[in-house]
Amino acid sequence: MNNADPAQIVTLTHPAAHVALITLNSPPANTLSRAVRERIIEITAGLHRDPEIRCLVLTGTGGTFTAGADLREDMGLTGDRIDEFLTGFDGVLHALEDFRAPVIAAVNGAAAGGGLELALACDIRIATAGAFFIASGVNVGLIASFWRLARVVGLGPAKEILLTGDRYPAERALRWGLVTEVHPPGELLPAALAKARRIASRPPLSVEAAKACAALAPGLTREQAAALQAEKFHAMVATDDHREAVDAFLSGRAGRYRRR
């Protein structure tokens, strides 16, 4: 499907209220070609501007989440072309990391190389029992994934994954915190969508602030964290959504939030 319409190889659906689903649909590898990366950036930019979207799920088709960059397309890069490739690849990772609402990676199979990076750029990762993860940089004489991987699983596990280039199954990923849940294949996407619906049912301004602050947390001192907490707490207390959330909780009903 390398020459297929980008709208066919990366699809967007809305499986529930306030939830968007991006599916990588170029099996068997679901490679992150230039067209695929640009399509993901285009979709997320549109969703970012849509106030109705409160959670995004990303998954693949077949037995692969994504095998990463298309080596045939990107082989033999030199000089400025290397910088162009890195900037372009960073673009899709930043599009997910900086997305206004939470992003859930439903890892349905292999997440290798750039596929591991793509999963790491998401806020939450859950996997099917047959999924596996490979930091394949050293396998092809390159380097990648060290910054995000170490932040997610810690330095010790990250070094093992990075230096061996080995294949790590979902159960090991679960023990290391690379994923938070492992499901049978047929239950993965329903579980991801159930989690997305749960997130989407919370006050969106509060959820978005929590995502943004958590991303900053590793680099903050205790004093900086306390100041940020106070700033966001004051801002949230002043919202109609906070008052609605408290009333809904006390009344035992679902909240109706208007992002104000």
Side-chain angles (χ1 to χ4, degrees):
M1 297 184 69
N2 287 342
N3 297 318
D5 180 352
Q8 298 298 315
I9 59 178
V10 184
T11 62
L12 170 65
T13 55
H14 297 272
H18 307 298
V19 175
L21 171 65
I22 294 176
T23 304
L24 305 179
N25 184 37
S26 56
N30 293 333
T31 53
L32 295 173
S33 65
R34 187 178 299 106
V36 168
R37 299 193 300 264
E38 291 173 353
R39 172 69 174 155
I40 295 173
I41 292 171
E42 176 188 15
I43 290 174
T44 53
L47 295 173
H48 188 88
R49 295 190 296 268
D50 184 350
E52 290 301 308
I53 298 302
R54 300 181 185 175
C55 193
L56 171 62
V57 178
L58 175 66
T59 195
T61 54
T64 304
F65 178 64
T66 167
D70 187 336
L71 290 179
R72 291 168 299 182
E73 179 181 90
D74 298 312
M75 188 181 299
L77 295 179
T78 58
D80 292 343
R81 290 287 308 284
I82 295 175
D83 293 334
E84 179 185 341
F85 166 76
L86 292 174
T87 299
F89 210 95
D90 281 345
V92 72
L93 302 178
H94 297 167
L96 295 173
E97 285 178 328
D98 298 340
F99 190 70
R100 169 180 49 77
V103 182
I104 300 172
V107 183
N108 58 297
L116 172 61
E117 284 271 25
L118 199 72
L120 289 168
C122 298
D123 300 292
I124 298 170
R125 288 159 298 280
I126 67 175
T128 186
F132 59 89
F133 301 83
I134 304 174
S136 56
V138 296
N139 296 340
V140 291
L142 296 172
I143 178 173
S145 307
F146 66 90
W147 185 72
R148 291 179 179 85
L149 187 58
R151 285 165 62 92
V152 169
V153 302
L155 192 56
K159 282 186 176 180
E160 177 172 334
I161 296 169
L162 290 166
L163 300 179
T164 63
D166 209 347
R167 170 175 169 158
Y168 290 87
E171 288 299 332
R172 179 79 69 89
L174 181 64
R175 290 201 300 272
W176 281 343
L178 179 53
V179 300
T180 55
E181 297 175 10
V182 175
H183 296 274
E187 299 176 16
L188 176 66
L189 189 56
L193 294 177
K195 194 179 298 294
R197 290 194 299 271
R198 165 71 184 187
I199 291 171
S201 73
R202 304 300 91 188
L205 294 176
S206 177
V207 169
E208 290 164 20
K211 167 175 172 163
C213 290
L216 296 173
L220 298 179
T221 65
R222 183 173 63 181
E223 292 73 22
Q224 289 169 331
L228 182 60
Q229 166 81 10
E231 174 193 336
K232 297 300 183 182
F233 200 92
H234 279 285
M236 294 298 105
V237 165
T239 63
D240 291 341
D241 279 0
H242 163 65
R243 289 183 283 274
E244 166 64 10
V246 173
D247 185 69
F249 177 79
L250 295 176
S251 304
R253 60 174 176 82
R256 296 180 292 273
Y257 304 113
R258 297 180 292 176
R259 297 185 59 82
R260 64 186 189 190

